[in-house]
Amino acid sequence: MCGRYLAIIEDDFALMNDIIDDFSDKFNKNGIASGEVFPTNIIPVVYSYNGRNILSTAKWGFPGFKKSGVIINARAETLAEKPMFRNAFAEKRCLIPARGYFEWLTHEDKKKTKYLITVKEKRIFYMAGLYNIFKDDKGMYYAATTIITTDATSKISFIHNRMPVILRDDLIHRWLYKGTSDLKSLQSLLVPYEAEEISFQAV
């Protein structure tokens, strides 16, 4: 699961230039979450449009069934099967840049320890996501995103058995490329990140 993460900051934008071709006209720093990001916050996302990688924004969380709550995570194993995610998996893949993410370890006495999980030697990394366009109660269209999760890598599985899919740098363009129609090939990218590259600390 990924229920909170640590947003990028302004200094990180320069590091994103190697994968971003354009800043979307819709990208506006006002109102974009910083620090610890919560579900329903407006967050930066990277997606492909007309062959170019665009930095834009989206609300974190697909609207839930019967408009109850939001769906912030999508399981990698069932993306091609679930009606909510199937079309987005085929056509609307994206990246969510982050500096880290948070997970909670629940102890036997029900107390919880909060951990910040990061990737060693990477100031920012990219989580695999899906986006789609929805209509709110006022009939206005908006973009929303969900973060894809997979089994936790062995190093942090004691904290939680799931983790966001963190894409290696050499797989980023392949994930975003809209010309890919082989969903099984794409699904093979959605694996736990290398254990030795993961770092964690209680916060």
Side-chain angles (χ1 to χ4, degrees), residues 104-158:
W104 286 260
L105 171 63
T106 303
H107 302 279
E108 291 184 4
D109 61 3
K110 305 301 181 183
K111 291 183 179 179
K112 294 185 177 183
T113 301
K114 184 179 180 181
Y115 286 91
L116 172 62
I117 299 167
T118 57
V119 176
K120 293 178 181 178
E121 299 182 3
K122 279 188 177 293
R123 181 166 167 174
I124 59 173
F125 57 82
Y126 298 93
M127 300 181 288
L130 306 174
Y131 73 95
N132 217 330
I133 306 300
F134 301 94
K135 188 185 291 188
D136 64 19
D137 293 336
K138 298 179 180 179
M140 302 294 291
Y141 289 97
Y142 69 96
T145 188
T146 187
I147 296 171
I148 299 171
T149 66
T150 187
D151 290 331
T153 195
S154 58
K155 190 173 184 178
I156 54 172
S157 60
F158 77 97

Side-chain angles (χ1 to χ4, degrees), residues 9 17 27 66 83 85 95 116 122 144 154 158-159 166 172 181 186 191 193 199:
I9 60 176
N17 285 339
F27 190 83
K66 299 180 180 179
F85 306 124
L95 303 172
L116 172 62
K122 279 188 177 293
S154 58
F158 77 97
I159 303 173
I166 299 171
I172 284 173
S181 58
L186 287 171
V191 296
Y193 204 75
S199 181

Side-chain angles (χ1 to χ4, degrees), residues 41-52:
N41 283 168
I42 303 301
I43 62 173
V45 296
V46 180
Y47 65 95
S48 179
Y49 179 73
N50 286 341
R52 300 177 69 83

Side-chain angles (χ1 to χ4, degrees), residues 4-191:
R4 306 266 182 85
Y5 76 91
L6 190 61
I8 60 172
I9 60 176
E10 188 156 348
D11 289 347
D12 297 324
F13 290 131
L15 296 177
M16 299 173 65
N17 285 339
D18 58 339
I19 70 159
I20 297 172
D21 300 310
D22 256 330
F23 285 79
S24 168
D25 291 339
K26 295 180 181 179
F27 190 83
N28 187 323
K29 294 176 185 176
N30 294 328
I32 297 175
S34 61
E36 187 172 349
V37 175
F38 292 76
T40 74
N41 283 168
I42 303 301
I43 62 173
V45 296
V46 180
Y47 65 95
S48 179
Y49 179 73
N50 286 341
R52 300 177 69 83
N53 293 341
I54 304 293
L55 176 64
S56 189
T57 60
K59 179 180 178 179
W60 184 17
F62 282 14
F65 297 103
K66 299 180 180 179
K67 297 186 178 181
S68 175
V70 291
I71 310 299
I72 60 172
N73 294 155
R75 293 177 67 91
E77 300 87 341
T78 56
L79 291 180
E81 305 164 14
K82 297 287 186 180
M84 176 175 284
F85 306 124
R86 188 168 51 220
N87 291 339
F89 179 38
E91 301 176 2
K92 294 182 174 68
R93 298 179 298 277
C94 66
L95 303 172
I96 296 94
R99 304 175 73 212
Y101 76 95
F102 297 99
E103 197 55 80
W104 286 260
L105 171 63
T106 303
H107 302 279
E108 291 184 4
D109 61 3
K110 305 301 181 183
K111 291 183 179 179
K112 294 185 177 183
T113 301
K114 184 179 180 181
Y115 286 91
L116 172 62
I117 299 167
T118 57
V119 176
K120 293 178 181 178
E121 299 182 3
K122 279 188 177 293
R123 181 166 167 174
I124 59 173
F125 57 82
Y126 298 93
M127 300 181 288
L130 306 174
Y131 73 95
N132 217 330
I133 306 300
F134 301 94
K135 188 185 291 188
D136 64 19
D137 293 336
K138 298 179 180 179
M140 302 294 291
Y141 289 97
Y142 69 96
T145 188
T146 187
I147 296 171
I148 299 171
T149 66
T150 187
D151 290 331
T153 195
S154 58
K155 190 173 184 178
I156 54 172
S157 60
F158 77 97
I159 303 173
H160 197 281
N161 64 355
R162 305 290 293 179
M163 70 180 295
V165 172
I166 299 171
L167 290 172
R168 298 198 323 261
D169 291 349
D170 60 317
L171 299 178
I172 284 173
H173 290 286
R174 185 175 167 192
W175 173 252
L176 290 178
Y177 180 53
K178 287 196 171 184
T180 304
S181 58
D182 183 356
L183 297 186
K184 286 187 178 180
S185 173
L186 287 171
Q187 209 150 19
S188 71
L189 309 182
L190 306 176
V191 296

